[in-house]
Amino acid sequence: YMQDHSVTLQQSGRGGRPVLEVVLQAPVTRWSQQCLAQRQNVLSNNFELKAIAAYLSACSIAVDYSALSSRTQFNGIEVKHRVPL
């Protein structure tokens, strides 16, 4: 559950690769995501990012999941994921 979201495709990725940017407004997992990220915990609570990675993988788009969590940003009630394609 979340209050709102946006998904945009940006062309400013590394090496000119496109980046999928997913911004969630007030997701219910926000607090635990940020807490685990600050502790650099091996566990993560970013289920929306896992679902995106699984969908892209099913579409034959290679995704390095281990690098995705480091591209997550927290700002106020927002959680922003950047997924290089």
Side-chain angles (χ1 to χ4, degrees):
Y1 177 80
M2 68 199 82
Q3 187 176 26
D4 200 4
H5 71 283
S6 66
V7 179
T8 56
L9 184 61
Q10 300 180 349
Q11 296 298 328
S12 60
R14 268 191 162 164
R17 294 175 58 193
V19 173
L20 185 67
E21 183 177 89
V22 181
V23 179
L24 310 174
Q25 296 287 329
V28 296
T29 57
R30 189 223 175 280
W31 177 84
S32 59
Q33 284 186 51
Q34 186 174 15
C35 182
L36 291 169
Q38 285 176 345
R39 293 179 180 186
Q40 298 178 343
N41 201 312
V42 175
L43 298 174
S44 61
N45 193 18
N46 53 2
F47 294 104
E48 64 280 351
L49 186 56
K50 293 173 184 172
I52 291 166
Y55 177 79
L56 292 173
S57 179
C59 293
S60 299
I61 299 173
V63 176
D64 179 10
Y65 184 77
S66 62
L68 292 182
S69 294
S70 64
R71 291 183 171 88
T72 297
Q73 298 174 334
F74 303 95
N75 185 17
I77 62 169
E78 284 186 354
V79 175
K80 182 189 298 184
H81 300 294
R82 294 179 52 82
V83 181
L85 301 177

